[in-house]
Amino acid sequence: MAEGARSRLAADYGLAVTGVAGPDPQDGRSVGTVFAAVCGPRGGCRVSEFSLSGNRAAIRAQTAEQALLLLDAEVAAITGR
């Protein structure tokens, strides 16, 4: 998804998230299991798995925060800042 977003939007970076925000488990995954991926201009993607807690709104907010932190780490790795 992240590479698709990057490609379709002609962007330097693509970011994508998926997971289980609740209220019930899904496909054998516990509530709070979230994955985030970032793809950058160097090729390849970085994927992270998170185990988050709280209600649906809290998990969604934490997911956005973790995804942006992942993006920040990828930009820092490329730019050296």
Side-chain angles (χ1 to χ4, degrees):
M1 285 191 314
E3 181 56 40
R6 190 178 91 76
S7 176
R8 286 182 182 229
L9 297 171
D12 290 334
Y13 295 90
L15 188 60
V17 297
T18 189
V20 184
D24 299 315
Q26 240 180 356
D27 300 323
R29 301 267 184 199
S30 301
V31 171
T33 303
V34 173
F35 296 87
V38 62
C39 296
R42 293 192 304 183
C45 297
R46 182 186 299 195
V47 179
S48 294
E49 179 178 358
F50 304 99
S51 294
L52 307 176
S53 61
N55 62 22
R56 183 175 174 81
I59 290 170
R60 291 177 74 186
Q62 291 172 66
T63 298
E65 181 178 2
Q66 292 302 319
L68 290 172
L69 289 171
L70 185 65
L71 175 61
D72 183 60
E74 183 66 14
V75 171
I78 290 173
T79 63
R81 60 166 182 91

